[in-house]
Amino acid sequence: MTFEEVERWATAGQVDGDLDGIHLARVITEEVRRAGKHFLPQPFLLQLSEIRRRHATGRRPFLRAFLDCLLDKHEERYGNRTYLSLPLLELISDEPRHGPGPNRLATWLIADVVRFETRSASAPQEPARIPTRDPAHAAPGRDRDRPGAVTLSRRLRHALRFVAHDHDGLDVEDVSPRAAELLPRPAATAAGRWFEVTVQPVYVLHDEYFFMRALQAHEMVFTAIAQDVGAAVAALRDGSLEAAAQSVDRAAASFERASALFRLVATMRPEQFDGFREFTQGASAIQSEQYKRFEILCGLPHAERLGSKAFTSVPAVRAEAQDADHDTVTRAYLDLRRRARFSWTDWNLFHTALGGLEERHQRWKSTHRSLATRMLGSARGSGDTEGVPYLTQCLDNRLFGRLNGRRDP
């Protein structure tokens, strides 16, 4: 899209409906992926701001969410949610009647990784120019550097195993382009059309696309985990110990999907990560609202953790934790112990479920630290933490510390 075309959109009297809005988003996205969001020129961004002011009204929530995410750096409110287009993905997930929910959306996201990688592998290698704010001074740079055959094969198989968890009968050994195009994807509903514009890379290197999709899927998986833990709280309040144990077991089982995403991300080349990470400062996994929401549904964090970057970086979730009416598995369980009588077998069933979730969570954190050690080394985290040492400290946290005579994490 040229500056003149954007200007026409910005000054037009109206945008004619959702189809017109998604057309605009597709054209903008093509430009973003060509240049990198970090390097969009100022006049272009100002025109997009004008488009949002004129056209992204309450009647067009998808266009509004798209432009809010796209303009985050320009408006100095860049963070994990906008880098990953989570406001737009959440609208897609929650679409009335057609919304897939977080688990199915996670499947679509990783299926899209398979399609992206197989299409890229068969396309001509595209040289890149190292972008700058001033396109006239862009310098020739290395090409977009697609992965070699061995790395690509590992990446595709890890992605297919993730998809197979939610897609019966999938042959995880078939990495052909034809098979990739048959993988699940959103229907052409009002919300589904926006799925393709939910990746806005900050730079031009190949691996950032799949990295963003993996992080988006991570947020969806933890959305589902938090929902299951919330269901366990509700079941405990209803006095249904068995239903609570089943919800906790579902949450624990979902950690296998979360760990599978780490195996996928481990196929990213460190030099590629270093190449685009420079432009993602300010957007950090420490800002994951859904992970923290899962944590505070298990048990209230102690004051030191609530005051740390882990929670000051997610003020909305911190406020939820500090609300006097906020409920947790720990609180509901202790209340139930005081007022209800169950057999030892029933209590033990629930204790086993809690132990399984705790153990899966600890294993997941350990895998996270191992991956960060490989990718970051001694570098600081992008959320201004100490990086690997911070993740090492987190290994001491427990979800249900009060139930074992320890403080909650």
Side-chain angles (χ1 to χ4, degrees):
M1 173 178 278
T2 66
F3 177 80
E4 289 76 16
E5 288 174 310
V6 175
E7 190 173 31
R8 283 198 295 272
W9 277 92
T11 57
Q14 62 180 5
V15 173
D16 295 325
D18 291 335
L19 289 178
D20 218 10
I22 186 60
H23 171 70
L24 171 65
R26 286 168 179 158
V27 177
I28 293 171
T29 297
E30 183 178 348
E31 176 63 17
V32 172
R33 294 180 187 171
R34 184 194 67 79
K37 184 167 77 170
H38 186 82
F39 297 94
L40 294 176
Q42 193 76 359
F44 185 88
L45 294 166
L46 291 172
Q47 293 295 349
L48 295 184
S49 297
E50 181 63 15
I51 288 172
R52 183 182 58 186
R53 188 186 72 80
R54 284 175 171 263
H55 306 300
T57 63
R59 294 185 298 111
R60 297 191 178 90
F62 293 96
L63 182 60
R64 177 80 190 195
F66 171 79
L67 290 172
D68 281 348
C69 293
L70 189 64
L71 291 165
D72 57 354
K73 279 179 170 275
H74 172 62
E75 296 175 346
E76 298 183 348
R77 49 180 179 76
Y78 179 63
N80 196 56
R81 277 185 59 78
T82 52
Y83 173 56
L84 298 179
S85 296
L86 295 180
L88 186 53
L89 284 169
E90 288 162 0
L91 287 174
I92 295 169
S93 177
D94 297 338
E95 182 187 22
R97 291 187 296 122
H98 301 292
N103 267 320
R104 187 61 172 170
L105 182 53
T107 299
W108 291 351
L109 290 163
I110 303 305
D112 186 61
V113 168
V114 179
R115 285 191 292 270
F116 171 77
E117 295 290 348
T118 53
R119 288 171 185 166
S120 297
S122 61
Q125 187 75 307
E126 184 178 353
R129 297 176 68 82
I130 301 300
T132 67
R133 290 288 188 187
D134 182 358
H137 293 93
R142 59 188 173 184
D143 62 29
R144 293 176 188 260
D145 194 19
R146 297 187 304 236
V150 173
T151 298
L152 176 61
S153 178
R154 286 176 51 230
R155 183 173 298 172
L156 290 174
R157 283 176 171 78
H158 284 310
L160 286 168
R161 289 187 186 105
F162 183 95
V163 174
H165 186 277
D166 187 46
H167 192 66
D168 293 338
L170 179 64
D171 182 359
V172 298
E173 299 301 318
D174 187 354
V175 295
S176 66
R178 179 181 175 278
E181 291 303 321
L182 297 176
L183 293 176
R185 68 172 76 217
T189 63
R193 294 185 186 96
W194 289 86
F195 179 81
E196 64 187 281
V197 298
T198 54
V199 176
Q200 306 293 337
V202 295
Y203 200 42
V204 296
L205 294 177
H206 178 92
D207 279 7
E208 190 183 359
Y209 187 104
F210 106 86
F211 176 69
M212 293 179 73
R213 282 303 196 208
L215 294 185
Q216 290 168 336
H218 174 275
E219 292 302 300
M220 294 303 111
V221 169
F222 271 97
T223 299
I225 291 174
Q227 289 174 353
D228 284 331
V229 176
V233 175
L236 289 169
R237 291 302 180 191
D238 288 341
S240 180
L241 200 58
E242 182 180 1
Q246 291 171 349
S247 293
V248 172
D249 282 339
R250 282 196 303 273
S254 292
F255 268 92
E256 175 54 35
R257 294 199 96 190
S259 296
L261 291 171
F262 283 147
R263 293 190 285 273
L264 176 61
V265 172
T267 68
M268 183 165 56
R269 281 101 19 109
E271 66 275 12
Q272 290 249 324
F273 184 53
D274 290 343
F276 66 78
R277 184 173 180 264
E278 174 186 354
F279 308 108
T280 64
Q281 294 301 313
S284 168
I286 201 173
Q287 298 166 348
S288 171
E289 291 187 357
Q290 295 306 331
Y291 173 76
K292 301 300 191 318
R293 207 159 262 126
F294 150 71
E295 184 178 346
I296 68 170
L297 281 166
C298 292
L300 287 180
H302 56 73
E304 181 182 354
R305 181 156 172 79
L306 269 179
S308 71
K309 284 184 179 295
F311 277 89
T312 57
S313 63
V314 285
V317 183
R318 186 169 183 251
E320 290 174 24
Q322 294 174 320
D323 189 322
D325 293 329
H326 176 70
D327 210 355
T328 70
V329 168
T330 297
R331 182 178 177 182
Y333 167 80
L334 293 175
D335 285 351
L336 188 63
R337 285 299 300 248
R338 287 190 288 267
R339 65 181 175 82
R341 291 183 177 274
F342 288 92
S343 70
W344 172 252
T345 300
D346 289 334
W347 287 119
N348 193 52
L349 179 70
F350 186 67
H351 293 161
T352 300
L354 292 185
L357 179 56
E358 190 82 78
E359 190 274 333
R360 293 285 187 95
H361 180 236
Q362 286 297 108
R363 194 189 314 166
W364 175 87
K365 288 191 293 183
S366 181
T367 304
H368 187 190
R369 181 186 63 171
S370 297
L371 178 61
T373 299
R374 174 178 174 270
M375 302 302 299
L376 287 177
S378 60
R380 292 184 66 82
S382 53
D384 197 31
T385 68
E386 293 179 333
V388 174
Y390 166 79
L391 296 176
T392 300
Q393 293 170 5
C394 289
L395 292 177
D396 292 334
N397 297 339
R398 295 293 186 273
L399 298 171
F400 306 106
R402 286 202 179 110
L403 301 185
N404 295 313
R406 295 188 297 268
R407 295 185 304 173
D408 281 342

mmCIF file of all heavy atoms in Angstrom, residues 205-244:
data_model
loop_
_atom_site.group_PDB
_atom_site.id
_atom_site.type_symbol
_atom_site.label_atom_id
_atom_site.label_comp_id
_atom_site.label_asym_id
_atom_site.label_seq_id
_atom_site.Cartn_x
_atom_site.Cartn_y
_atom_site.Cartn_z
ATOM 1 N N LEU A 205 13.036 -11.102 9.695
ATOM 2 C CA LEU A 205 13.635 -12.429 9.701
ATOM 3 C C LEU A 205 12.570 -13.522 9.791
ATOM 4 O O LEU A 205 11.550 -13.373 10.450
ATOM 5 C CB LEU A 205 14.638 -12.561 10.843
ATOM 6 C CG LEU A 205 15.879 -11.669 10.715
ATOM 7 C CD1 LEU A 205 16.785 -11.827 11.931
ATOM 8 C CD2 LEU A 205 16.649 -11.997 9.435
ATOM 9 N N HIS A 206 12.858 -14.627 9.140
ATOM 10 C CA HIS A 206 11.896 -15.703 8.941
ATOM 11 C C HIS A 206 11.299 -16.225 10.241
ATOM 12 O O HIS A 206 10.081 -16.416 10.355
ATOM 13 C CB HIS A 206 12.588 -16.854 8.186
ATOM 14 C CG HIS A 206 11.712 -18.047 7.971
ATOM 15 N ND1 HIS A 206 10.944 -18.213 6.840
ATOM 16 C CD2 HIS A 206 11.463 -19.137 8.757
ATOM 17 C CE1 HIS A 206 10.277 -19.342 6.921
ATOM 18 N NE2 HIS A 206 10.573 -19.925 8.077
ATOM 19 N N ASP A 207 12.122 -16.486 11.247
ATOM 20 C CA ASP A 207 11.668 -17.218 12.417
ATOM 21 C C ASP A 207 10.708 -16.432 13.304
ATOM 22 O O ASP A 207 10.039 -17.032 14.163
ATOM 23 C CB ASP A 207 12.866 -17.666 13.266
ATOM 24 C CG ASP A 207 13.519 -18.930 12.729
ATOM 25 O OD1 ASP A 207 13.135 -19.380 11.634
ATOM 26 O OD2 ASP A 207 14.428 -19.452 13.411
ATOM 27 N N GLU A 208 10.614 -15.132 13.135
ATOM 28 C CA GLU A 208 9.734 -14.373 14.018
ATOM 29 C C GLU A 208 8.277 -14.770 13.820
ATOM 30 O O GLU A 208 7.493 -14.787 14.780
ATOM 31 C CB GLU A 208 9.901 -12.864 13.822
ATOM 32 C CG GLU A 208 9.167 -12.075 14.899
ATOM 33 C CD GLU A 208 9.244 -10.568 14.726
ATOM 34 O OE1 GLU A 208 9.893 -10.095 13.769
ATOM 35 O OE2 GLU A 208 8.645 -9.864 15.553
ATOM 36 N N TYR A 209 7.882 -15.131 12.599
ATOM 37 C CA TYR A 209 6.482 -15.499 12.337
ATOM 38 C C TYR A 209 6.092 -16.704 13.184
ATOM 39 O O TYR A 209 5.098 -16.668 13.925
ATOM 40 C CB TYR A 209 6.296 -15.788 10.851
ATOM 41 C CG TYR A 209 4.855 -16.013 10.434
ATOM 42 C CD1 TYR A 209 4.137 -15.030 9.769
ATOM 43 C CD2 TYR A 209 4.202 -17.229 10.687
ATOM 44 C CE1 TYR A 209 2.823 -15.228 9.370
ATOM 45 C CE2 TYR A 209 2.893 -17.438 10.307
ATOM 46 C CZ TYR A 209 2.208 -16.440 9.648
ATOM 47 O OH TYR A 209 0.899 -16.644 9.272
ATOM 48 N N PHE A 210 6.861 -17.780 13.086
ATOM 49 C CA PHE A 210 6.472 -18.980 13.825
ATOM 50 C C PHE A 210 6.614 -18.759 15.336
ATOM 51 O O PHE A 210 5.836 -19.301 16.129
ATOM 52 C CB PHE A 210 7.286 -20.191 13.341
ATOM 53 C CG PHE A 210 8.357 -20.664 14.270
ATOM 54 C CD1 PHE A 210 8.081 -21.553 15.288
ATOM 55 C CD2 PHE A 210 9.668 -20.206 14.132
ATOM 56 C CE1 PHE A 210 9.070 -21.997 16.153
ATOM 57 C CE2 PHE A 210 10.657 -20.642 14.984
ATOM 58 C CZ PHE A 210 10.367 -21.542 16.003
ATOM 59 N N PHE A 211 7.597 -17.936 15.752
ATOM 60 C CA PHE A 211 7.781 -17.622 17.167
ATOM 61 C C PHE A 211 6.548 -16.910 17.709
ATOM 62 O O PHE A 211 6.040 -17.245 18.799
ATOM 63 C CB PHE A 211 9.019 -16.748 17.321
ATOM 64 C CG PHE A 211 9.285 -16.269 18.727
ATOM 65 C CD1 PHE A 211 9.678 -17.152 19.712
ATOM 66 C CD2 PHE A 211 9.157 -14.929 19.054
ATOM 67 C CE1 PHE A 211 9.928 -16.711 21.014
ATOM 68 C CE2 PHE A 211 9.416 -14.476 20.345
ATOM 69 C CZ PHE A 211 9.798 -15.371 21.326
ATOM 70 N N MET A 212 6.013 -15.955 16.968
ATOM 71 C CA MET A 212 4.822 -15.235 17.407
ATOM 72 C C MET A 212 3.626 -16.175 17.506
ATOM 73 O O MET A 212 2.851 -16.112 18.469
ATOM 74 C CB MET A 212 4.522 -14.073 16.462
ATOM 75 C CG MET A 212 5.564 -12.971 16.492
ATOM 76 S SD MET A 212 5.185 -11.621 15.351
ATOM 77 C CE MET A 212 3.807 -10.826 16.197
ATOM 78 N N ARG A 213 3.461 -17.045 16.524
ATOM 79 C CA ARG A 213 2.351 -17.989 16.561
ATOM 80 C C ARG A 213 2.463 -18.913 17.783
ATOM 81 O O ARG A 213 1.464 -19.228 18.441
ATOM 82 C CB ARG A 213 2.310 -18.825 15.282
ATOM 83 C CG ARG A 213 1.721 -18.117 14.054
ATOM 84 C CD ARG A 213 0.328 -17.629 14.293
ATOM 85 N NE ARG A 213 -0.404 -17.300 13.084
ATOM 86 C CZ ARG A 213 -1.366 -16.388 13.046
ATOM 87 N NH1 ARG A 213 -1.671 -15.688 14.128
ATOM 88 N NH2 ARG A 213 -2.024 -16.157 11.927
ATOM 89 N N ALA A 214 3.681 -19.353 18.108
ATOM 90 C CA ALA A 214 3.867 -20.220 19.267
ATOM 91 C C ALA A 214 3.508 -19.483 20.558
ATOM 92 O O ALA A 214 2.858 -20.045 21.455
ATOM 93 C CB ALA A 214 5.303 -20.732 19.322
ATOM 94 N N LEU A 215 3.908 -18.208 20.682
ATOM 95 C CA LEU A 215 3.569 -17.430 21.874
ATOM 96 C C LEU A 215 2.065 -17.173 21.957
ATOM 97 O O LEU A 215 1.482 -17.191 23.050
ATOM 98 C CB LEU A 215 4.321 -16.106 21.875
ATOM 99 C CG LEU A 215 5.847 -16.175 22.004
ATOM 100 C CD1 LEU A 215 6.429 -14.768 22.107
ATOM 101 C CD2 LEU A 215 6.271 -17.001 23.204
ATOM 102 N N GLN A 216 1.434 -16.928 20.813
ATOM 103 C CA GLN A 216 -0.016 -16.758 20.811
ATOM 104 C C GLN A 216 -0.714 -18.038 21.279
ATOM 105 O O GLN A 216 -1.660 -17.993 22.079
ATOM 106 C CB GLN A 216 -0.492 -16.382 19.403
ATOM 107 C CG GLN A 216 -0.087 -14.986 18.959
ATOM 108 C CD GLN A 216 -0.325 -14.760 17.471
ATOM 109 O OE1 GLN A 216 -0.365 -15.708 16.675
ATOM 110 N NE2 GLN A 216 -0.475 -13.508 17.082
ATOM 111 N N ALA A 217 -0.240 -19.182 20.777
ATOM 112 C CA ALA A 217 -0.822 -20.458 21.194
ATOM 113 C C ALA A 217 -0.608 -20.689 22.691
ATOM 114 O O ALA A 217 -1.490 -21.222 23.386
ATOM 115 C CB ALA A 217 -0.206 -21.602 20.386
ATOM 116 N N HIS A 218 0.545 -20.281 23.191
ATOM 117 C CA HIS A 218 0.823 -20.379 24.628
ATOM 118 C C HIS A 218 -0.234 -19.625 25.428
ATOM 119 O O HIS A 218 -0.750 -20.125 26.441
ATOM 120 C CB HIS A 218 2.224 -19.815 24.900
ATOM 121 C CG HIS A 218 2.596 -19.728 26.349
ATOM 122 N ND1 HIS A 218 2.245 -18.645 27.137
ATOM 123 C CD2 HIS A 218 3.294 -20.563 27.147
ATOM 124 C CE1 HIS A 218 2.703 -18.831 28.359
ATOM 125 N NE2 HIS A 218 3.348 -19.976 28.396
ATOM 126 N N GLU A 219 -0.570 -18.412 24.989
ATOM 127 C CA GLU A 219 -1.578 -17.629 25.699
ATOM 128 C C GLU A 219 -2.946 -18.312 25.647
ATOM 129 O O GLU A 219 -3.701 -18.296 26.622
ATOM 130 C CB GLU A 219 -1.671 -16.223 25.101
ATOM 131 C CG GLU A 219 -0.442 -15.363 25.351
ATOM 132 C CD GLU A 219 -0.145 -15.199 26.823
ATOM 133 O OE1 GLU A 219 -1.012 -14.676 27.557
ATOM 134 O OE2 GLU A 219 0.942 -15.623 27.256
ATOM 135 N N MET A 220 -3.269 -18.935 24.508
ATOM 136 C CA MET A 220 -4.548 -19.622 24.402
ATOM 137 C C MET A 220 -4.587 -20.859 25.299
ATOM 138 O O MET A 220 -5.599 -21.143 25.946
ATOM 139 C CB MET A 220 -4.811 -20.019 22.943
ATOM 140 C CG MET A 220 -5.006 -18.843 21.995
ATOM 141 S SD MET A 220 -6.360 -17.744 22.496
ATOM 142 C CE MET A 220 -5.435 -16.274 22.977
ATOM 143 N N VAL A 221 -3.495 -21.607 25.355
ATOM 144 C CA VAL A 221 -3.434 -22.791 26.224
ATOM 145 C C VAL A 221 -3.624 -22.389 27.677
ATOM 146 O O VAL A 221 -4.389 -23.023 28.423
ATOM 147 C CB VAL A 221 -2.113 -23.553 26.025
ATOM 148 C CG1 VAL A 221 -1.941 -24.621 27.104
ATOM 149 C CG2 VAL A 221 -2.076 -24.212 24.645
ATOM 150 N N PHE A 222 -2.962 -21.305 28.098
ATOM 151 C CA PHE A 222 -3.111 -20.891 29.488
ATOM 152 C C PHE A 222 -4.475 -20.259 29.752
ATOM 153 O O PHE A 222 -4.956 -20.284 30.894
ATOM 154 C CB PHE A 222 -1.963 -19.975 29.916
ATOM 155 C CG PHE A 222 -0.813 -20.750 30.465
ATOM 156 C CD1 PHE A 222 0.268 -21.065 29.671
ATOM 157 C CD2 PHE A 222 -0.832 -21.222 31.770
ATOM 158 C CE1 PHE A 222 1.318 -21.824 30.166
ATOM 159 C CE2 PHE A 222 0.207 -21.975 32.273
ATOM 160 C CZ PHE A 222 1.292 -22.275 31.469
ATOM 161 N N THR A 223 -5.113 -19.726 28.737
ATOM 162 C CA THR A 223 -6.502 -19.290 28.897
ATOM 163 C C THR A 223 -7.376 -20.484 29.235
ATOM 164 O O THR A 223 -8.218 -20.433 30.149
ATOM 165 C CB THR A 223 -7.003 -18.609 27.621
ATOM 166 O OG1 THR A 223 -6.212 -17.454 27.345
ATOM 167 C CG2 THR A 223 -8.460 -18.183 27.753
ATOM 168 N N ALA A 224 -7.166 -21.593 28.505
ATOM 169 C CA ALA A 224 -7.942 -22.810 28.762
ATOM 170 C C ALA A 224 -7.623 -23.395 30.131
ATOM 171 O O ALA A 224 -8.521 -23.856 30.858
ATOM 172 C CB ALA A 224 -7.658 -23.842 27.668
ATOM 173 N N ILE A 225 -6.344 -23.391 30.520
ATOM 174 C CA ILE A 225 -5.960 -23.906 31.837
ATOM 175 C C ILE A 225 -6.620 -23.087 32.940
ATOM 176 O O ILE A 225 -7.147 -23.637 33.913
ATOM 177 C CB ILE A 225 -4.424 -23.901 31.985
ATOM 178 C CG1 ILE A 225 -3.793 -24.950 31.059
ATOM 179 C CG2 ILE A 225 -4.017 -24.164 33.430
ATOM 180 C CD1 ILE A 225 -2.271 -24.912 31.029
ATOM 181 N N ALA A 226 -6.583 -21.766 32.797
ATOM 182 C CA ALA A 226 -7.216 -20.905 33.795
ATOM 183 C C ALA A 226 -8.721 -21.173 33.882
ATOM 184 O O ALA A 226 -9.309 -21.151 34.978
ATOM 185 C CB ALA A 226 -6.947 -19.438 33.470
ATOM 186 N N GLN A 227 -9.359 -21.431 32.743
ATOM 187 C CA GLN A 227 -10.789 -21.749 32.756
ATOM 188 C C GLN A 227 -11.061 -23.036 33.534
ATOM 189 O O GLN A 227 -12.024 -23.120 34.307
ATOM 190 C CB GLN A 227 -11.314 -21.861 31.333
ATOM 191 C CG GLN A 227 -11.402 -20.527 30.610
ATOM 192 C CD GLN A 227 -11.798 -20.668 29.138
ATOM 193 O OE1 GLN A 227 -11.881 -21.782 28.605
ATOM 194 N NE2 GLN A 227 -12.051 -19.549 28.487
ATOM 195 N N ASP A 228 -10.204 -24.038 33.353
ATOM 196 C CA ASP A 228 -10.382 -25.297 34.074
ATOM 197 C C ASP A 228 -10.167 -25.118 35.577
ATOM 198 O O ASP A 228 -10.901 -25.692 36.390
ATOM 199 C CB ASP A 228 -9.418 -26.361 33.529
ATOM 200 C CG ASP A 228 -9.868 -26.928 32.194
ATOM 201 O OD1 ASP A 228 -11.088 -26.953 31.945
ATOM 202 O OD2 ASP A 228 -9.003 -27.346 31.398
ATOM 203 N N VAL A 229 -9.157 -24.325 35.951
ATOM 204 C CA VAL A 229 -8.921 -24.091 37.378
ATOM 205 C C VAL A 229 -10.082 -23.297 37.975
ATOM 206 O O VAL A 229 -10.524 -23.560 39.101
ATOM 207 C CB VAL A 229 -7.573 -23.386 37.602
ATOM 208 C CG1 VAL A 229 -7.374 -23.054 39.076
ATOM 209 C CG2 VAL A 229 -6.424 -24.261 37.114
ATOM 210 N N GLY A 230 -10.605 -22.333 37.208
ATOM 211 C CA GLY A 230 -11.781 -21.599 37.668
ATOM 212 C C GLY A 230 -12.984 -22.519 37.857
ATOM 213 O O GLY A 230 -13.760 -22.359 38.808
ATOM 214 N N ALA A 231 -13.123 -23.507 36.967
ATOM 215 C CA ALA A 231 -14.212 -24.474 37.106
ATOM 216 C C ALA A 231 -14.022 -25.325 38.359
ATOM 217 O O ALA A 231 -14.999 -25.709 39.023
ATOM 218 C CB ALA A 231 -14.281 -25.369 35.867
ATOM 219 N N ALA A 232 -12.768 -25.620 38.714
ATOM 220 C CA ALA A 232 -12.492 -26.371 39.935
ATOM 221 C C ALA A 232 -12.909 -25.575 41.171
ATOM 222 O O ALA A 232 -13.477 -26.139 42.122
ATOM 223 C CB ALA A 232 -11.010 -26.729 40.009
ATOM 224 N N VAL A 233 -12.640 -24.271 41.165
ATOM 225 C CA VAL A 233 -13.070 -23.416 42.283
ATOM 226 C C VAL A 233 -14.594 -23.469 42.422
ATOM 227 O O VAL A 233 -15.128 -23.649 43.530
ATOM 228 C CB VAL A 233 -12.592 -21.969 42.080
ATOM 229 C CG1 VAL A 233 -13.146 -21.062 43.181
ATOM 230 C CG2 VAL A 233 -11.067 -21.891 42.064
ATOM 231 N N ALA A 234 -15.284 -23.329 41.296
ATOM 232 C CA ALA A 234 -16.750 -23.345 41.333
ATOM 233 C C ALA A 234 -17.270 -24.684 41.847
ATOM 234 O O ALA A 234 -18.240 -24.732 42.622
ATOM 235 C CB ALA A 234 -17.302 -23.046 39.934
ATOM 236 N N ALA A 235 -16.649 -25.779 41.424
ATOM 237 C CA ALA A 235 -17.086 -27.103 41.875
ATOM 238 C C ALA A 235 -16.867 -27.279 43.370
ATOM 239 O O ALA A 235 -17.719 -27.857 44.079
ATOM 240 C CB ALA A 235 -16.332 -28.192 41.097
ATOM 241 N N LEU A 236 -15.758 -26.778 43.894
ATOM 242 C CA LEU A 236 -15.517 -26.853 45.334
ATOM 243 C C LEU A 236 -16.578 -26.063 46.099
ATOM 244 O O LEU A 236 -17.059 -26.502 47.148
ATOM 245 C CB LEU A 236 -14.120 -26.316 45.663
ATOM 246 C CG LEU A 236 -12.940 -27.198 45.240
ATOM 247 C CD1 LEU A 236 -11.624 -26.431 45.385
ATOM 248 C CD2 LEU A 236 -12.896 -28.491 46.051
ATOM 249 N N ARG A 237 -16.947 -24.897 45.579
ATOM 250 C CA ARG A 237 -17.986 -24.099 46.239
ATOM 251 C C ARG A 237 -19.337 -24.814 46.199
ATOM 252 O O ARG A 237 -20.181 -24.622 47.084
ATOM 253 C CB ARG A 237 -18.100 -22.724 45.583
ATOM 254 C CG ARG A 237 -16.892 -21.822 45.839
ATOM 255 C CD ARG A 237 -16.679 -21.607 47.314
ATOM 256 N NE ARG A 237 -15.531 -20.735 47.609
ATOM 257 C CZ ARG A 237 -15.033 -20.573 48.818
ATOM 258 N NH1 ARG A 237 -15.543 -21.228 49.853
ATOM 259 N NH2 ARG A 237 -13.990 -19.775 49.010
ATOM 260 N N ASP A 238 -19.546 -25.643 45.175
ATOM 261 C CA ASP A 238 -20.789 -26.418 45.075
ATOM 262 C C ASP A 238 -20.719 -27.706 45.893
ATOM 263 O O ASP A 238 -21.690 -28.472 45.921
ATOM 264 C CB ASP A 238 -21.085 -26.767 43.622
ATOM 265 C CG ASP A 238 -21.533 -25.564 42.806
ATOM 266 O OD1 ASP A 238 -21.962 -24.561 43.422
ATOM 267 O OD2 ASP A 238 -21.446 -25.616 41.564
ATOM 268 N N GLY A 239 -19.575 -27.973 46.514
ATOM 269 C CA GLY A 239 -19.416 -29.181 47.302
ATOM 270 C C GLY A 239 -19.173 -30.426 46.488
ATOM 271 O O GLY A 239 -19.347 -31.544 46.989
ATOM 272 N N SER A 240 -18.772 -30.278 45.228
ATOM 273 C CA SER A 240 -18.535 -31.434 44.350
ATOM 274 C C SER A 240 -17.041 -31.677 44.228
ATOM 275 O O SER A 240 -16.372 -31.128 43.349
ATOM 276 C CB SER A 240 -19.156 -31.182 42.973
ATOM 277 O OG SER A 240 -18.928 -32.288 42.119
ATOM 278 N N LEU A 241 -16.518 -32.509 45.109
ATOM 279 C CA LEU A 241 -15.088 -32.774 45.144
ATOM 280 C C LEU A 241 -14.638 -33.527 43.898
ATOM 281 O O LEU A 241 -13.556 -33.259 43.354
ATOM 282 C CB LEU A 241 -14.747 -33.562 46.402
ATOM 283 C CG LEU A 241 -13.299 -33.539 46.882
ATOM 284 C CD1 LEU A 241 -12.839 -32.114 47.148
ATOM 285 C CD2 LEU A 241 -13.150 -34.398 48.144
ATOM 286 N N GLU A 242 -15.464 -34.454 43.431
ATOM 287 C CA GLU A 242 -15.095 -35.230 42.249
ATOM 288 C C GLU A 242 -15.012 -34.345 41.012
ATOM 289 O O GLU A 242 -14.062 -34.444 40.221
ATOM 290 C CB GLU A 242 -16.104 -36.349 42.017
ATOM 291 C CG GLU A 242 -15.768 -37.232 40.817
ATOM 292 C CD GLU A 242 -16.771 -38.344 40.605
ATOM 293 O OE1 GLU A 242 -17.753 -38.431 41.380
ATOM 294 O OE2 GLU A 242 -16.586 -39.129 39.645
ATOM 295 N N ALA A 243 -15.988 -33.453 40.818
ATOM 296 C CA ALA A 243 -15.962 -32.549 39.664
ATOM 297 C C ALA A 243 -14.763 -31.611 39.746
ATOM 298 O O ALA A 243 -14.137 -31.297 38.724
ATOM 299 C CB ALA A 243 -17.257 -31.748 39.599
ATOM 300 N N ALA A 244 -14.421 -31.166 40.960
ATOM 301 C CA ALA A 244 -13.253 -30.298 41.119
ATOM 302 C C ALA A 244 -11.983 -31.038 40.724
ATOM 303 O O ALA A 244 -11.111 -30.485 40.047
ATOM 304 C CB ALA A 244 -13.161 -29.819 42.565
#
